[in-house]
Amino acid sequence: MKPLTKEQLAGLAQLVGATQEHELNCHDCLALAAEFAERQLAGLPLNEALTRVEEHLAVCPECREELLALKKILQANG
Amino acid sequence: MVAEEVNWPAVLRGPDNAAALAGLRAVLLNGLRVALRERGDVNDAHLEDFAQEALLKVLARLDQFSGRSKFTTWAHAIAINVAFAELRRKRWRDVSLEALLADGRELTEPATLGRDAAGDDEERARIIGALRTAITERLSPKQRAVVAGLLEGMPFDQVVDLLGTNRNAAYKLVHDARRVLKEQLVAQGISSATIRAAFAP
């Protein structure tokens, strides 16, 4: 394994720092992603379950990438 | 084409669902086109495959649609997940479990997780030092391997496949690892706020 870069180290530290005792997993996040994206784009408040989506996105770059793509579709569809 | 206002779950479950299936497939295909427009590694054939696989997944999960969002948004989320999972897998197809475990072992080496990369910042160096100690002393070989793979940019689905487990079990493995690392840092007086401040972009 190559030495980790500053960015990777910072990423690891931030992941550890953002870790919560109870977190959604990717499957739970996907189930809530549509509601989360619609409410976020509409500027509506998030309930507790959707706040946990936000916490999951902080530690999961893959779900973050997918949510961005979903929002892109919603924005394109007006 | 089926109108957006239609009750998608009902028409998809109905006996004459051919138009609904074709309509939803077209909706998913259009969405994927928008989402993946800027990627050079995706062609029309890929998009068609993703849309077809997504359609099957949507049908298989119809009972899970809660109605708290538009049906098409929910279906797009599944299509995006299908497409991105496949694209990530392609890039890492040839990596072996042995390589992943070796990377995990090397994560404990100073050369890999070096204080040097923290730069001149003393606080960052202290946090990195504490992290390396925690990784070495508290994580299992499997946890180290998964953390190393993810740091290298390996997709989570690929890690799941290599470990021969399922996604939820792998997520628990990673979550437990992060929790252990966090506990160790907190025990040394390094809080989440300290980490955020030290590594703020």
Side-chain angles (χ1 to χ4, degrees):
Chain A
M1 188 177 185
K2 291 180 299 230
L4 297 179
T5 63
K6 274 184 195 179
E7 289 72 24
Q8 284 172 315
L9 284 175
L12 174 61
Q14 284 164 352
L15 277 182
V16 170
T19 297
Q20 304 287 325
E21 188 63 25
H22 301 287
E23 292 179 2
L24 296 184
N25 59 34
C26 301
H27 181 264
D28 300 329
C29 181
L30 175 60
L32 294 167
E35 186 187 359
F36 181 86
E38 285 182 357
R39 293 189 73 85
Q40 212 181 38
L41 285 176
L44 295 171
L46 304 176
N47 61 24
E48 194 187 331
L50 297 181
T51 303
R52 293 179 71 192
V53 170
E54 217 164 28
E55 289 169 1
H56 177 78
L57 295 174
V59 295
C60 184
E62 294 180 12
C63 288
R64 213 159 51 228
E65 182 181 39
E66 292 176 22
L67 188 85
L68 277 178
L70 177 62
K71 282 161 74 174
K72 208 169 169 184
I73 295 172
L74 299 184
Q75 283 166 327
N77 290 345
Chain B
M1 187 77 164
V2 181
E4 173 66 38
E5 297 75 23
V6 81
N7 182 343
W8 281 98
V11 293
L12 288 168
R13 285 191 184 101
D16 299 318
N17 64 356
L21 288 173
L24 182 57
R25 192 178 184 286
V27 167
L28 297 178
L29 187 59
N30 285 339
L32 289 167
R33 244 184 248 293
V34 170
L36 302 173
R37 193 161 35 203
E38 283 146 31
R39 292 191 63 131
D41 56 346
V42 178
N43 59 31
D44 277 351
H46 294 134
L47 292 173
E48 296 279 350
D49 287 348
F50 296 153
Q52 186 59 31
E53 193 185 334
L55 180 64
L56 296 176
K57 285 213 166 156
V58 167
L59 294 176
R61 296 179 192 175
L62 270 186
D63 289 342
Q64 295 171 27
F65 176 60
S66 67
R68 288 194 301 266
S69 68
K70 285 184 185 170
F71 180 83
T72 47
T73 307
W74 178 76
H76 280 311
I78 292 174
I80 290 292
N81 180 253
V82 164
F84 277 77
E86 181 54 30
L87 290 169
R88 291 183 196 119
R89 263 206 183 97
K90 260 189 198 165
R91 210 180 126 215
W92 292 85
R93 196 158 276 165
D94 297 329
V95 177
S96 68
L97 177 61
E98 288 68 31
L100 184 67
L101 289 168
D103 276 354
R105 281 194 297 276
E106 287 178 28
L107 198 56
T108 62
E109 299 292 326
T112 303
L113 191 59
R115 294 169 69 107
D116 299 348
D120 298 329
D121 189 296
E122 209 171 286
E123 187 69 339
R124 284 187 182 211
R126 183 170 81 97
I127 294 170
I128 296 303
L131 254 183
R132 194 176 62 240
T133 304
I135 287 170
T136 307
E137 293 177 358
R138 298 294 308 276
L139 296 192
S140 69
K142 222 178 211 183
Q143 285 175 320
R144 282 201 290 268
V146 173
V147 170
L150 296 177
L151 284 172
E152 285 279 282
M154 182 179 286
F156 198 67
D157 282 331
Q158 185 76 12
V159 173
V160 172
D161 288 350
L162 285 176
L163 293 177
T165 181
N166 64 50
R167 209 175 155 91
N168 284 352
Y171 192 85
K172 187 176 182 312
L173 189 82
V174 176
H175 180 227
D176 286 347
R178 285 193 277 106
R179 274 182 41 228
V180 164
L181 294 178
K182 186 177 177 181
E183 279 166 20
Q184 283 294 104
L185 295 193
V186 169
Q188 291 178 50
I190 301 171
S191 68
S192 297
T194 307
I195 296 171
R196 274 198 301 276
F199 289 95

